Amino acid sequence: ETGVTQSPTHLIKTRGQQVTLRCSSQSGHNTVSWYQQALGQGPQFIFQYYREEENGRGNFPPRFSGLQFPNYSSELNVNALELDDSALYLCASSGQGNEKLFFGSGTQLSVL
Amino acid sequence: GENVEQHPSTLSVQEGDSAVIKCTYSDSASNYFPWYKQELGKRPQLIIDIRSNVGEKKDQRIAVTLNKTAKHFSLHITETQPEDSAVYFCAAMDTGRRALTFGSGTRLQVQP
């Protein structure tokens, strides 16, 4: 059974640019959630995808968007990057009807 | 929305002592409460969880208690070891929403 994998591990962008982060869910998991973890804080829920549709969203602006593909992998897209977007972005997957979330190692995004 | 408060923010114990971390939540609809351990630069790792129909759960040296009436839950680690040193996060979920709300974390340091 493979775990949740994310790419890239690190990324440096400048303000105003756009970024795409990728996540492969754990084998057998069909739900993917994205979280933002600022330095020294707990992760904050961005949104969740199930059956290729957004299935819940946290308090993040529309410039944060996502996709889920038929193989359950997912992308997080952030447009018009701001300095405050610098954070660790975590992907988590879960199985149908199971609330246990398993996290990937994250993508560390730095916006300069 | 849900709000989870966690304390203490830092905790230092001697090897072999017990450690207790406490959390409170605000949304009575929350019914699933996991705890995650995050070592520096690594993914949050699910260490134990409890559902609202259970008051206590134990797994070797780790136990979690839940008081639904008071809306608080606690993590207890006995016989602490240096490898227990990490940041611990509590979280709460309304399983209808499938989104976790995290506490701000507790940095546990076990002194050898």
Side-chain angles (χ1 to χ4, degrees):
Chain A
E1 184 177 280
T2 57
V4 179
T5 58
Q6 292 186 242
S7 63
T9 54
H10 296 84
L11 203 51
I12 299 174
K13 291 285 189 179
T14 56
R15 195 170 49 183
Q17 285 189 311
Q18 178 265 343
V19 68
T20 297
L21 311 181
R22 295 178 174 83
C23 171
S24 293
S25 62
Q26 185 167 317
S27 176
H29 287 184
N30 58 10
T31 302
V32 174
S33 304
W34 287 91
Y35 288 77
Q36 181 195 67
Q37 186 176 22
L39 190 63
Q41 297 181 23
Q44 284 196 294
F45 175 68
I46 303 175
F47 44 55
Q48 179 183 94
Y49 277 83
Y50 172 65
R51 289 187 174 179
E52 302 177 50
E53 291 193 0
E54 188 177 291
N55 182 38
R57 188 178 185 93
N59 189 26
F60 280 81
R63 59 190 186 83
F64 286 77
S65 64
L67 286 173
Q68 186 180 32
F69 301 98
N71 65 354
Y72 307 133
S73 66
S74 177
E75 286 182 356
L76 164 65
N77 299 290
V78 187
N79 293 322
L81 284 167
E82 300 177 0
L83 298 179
D84 285 349
D85 295 334
S86 296
L88 180 67
Y89 288 85
L90 294 162
C91 171
S93 72
S94 56
Q96 187 171 357
N98 191 337
E99 60 273 318
K100 291 182 189 287
L101 263 62
F102 295 92
F103 284 86
S105 296
T107 294
Q108 185 65 54
L109 173 65
S110 297
V111 182
L112 306 179
Chain B
E2 175 66 276
N3 181 49
V4 176
E5 295 192 358
Q6 180 173 349
H7 60 94
S9 56
T10 61
L11 180 59
S12 182
V13 300
Q14 291 293 319
E15 183 176 357
D17 287 350
S18 295
V20 180
I21 303 171
K22 299 183 178 182
C23 290
T24 60
Y25 63 99
S26 61
D27 188 351
S28 57
S30 290
N31 52 8
Y32 173 67
F33 306 91
W35 287 85
Y36 286 85
K37 174 184 180 182
Q38 188 175 30
E39 297 176 68
L40 190 62
K42 296 192 175 180
R43 72 185 72 197
Q45 180 185 3
L46 179 65
I47 56 171
I48 196 167
D49 56 8
I50 191 167
R51 291 171 180 80
S52 58
N53 58 348
V54 176
E56 184 173 355
K57 183 176 179 181
K58 191 173 182 180
D59 182 4
Q60 299 183 339
R61 297 186 297 109
I62 295 173
V64 58
T65 59
L66 171 65
N67 183 327
K68 276 184 60 178
T69 304
K71 294 196 185 72
H72 65 70
F73 56 115
S74 301
L75 177 71
H76 304 253
I77 306 174
T78 59
E79 300 172 25
T80 54
Q81 301 167 4
E83 51 265 38
D84 294 329
S85 297
V87 178
Y88 291 80
F89 291 98
C90 63
M93 176 194 282
D94 168 2
T95 54
R97 293 188 60 238
R98 302 284 296 274
L100 283 173
T101 301
F102 283 84
S104 54
T106 296
R107 182 172 299 278
L108 173 65
Q109 189 164 13
V110 180
Q111 306 284 357

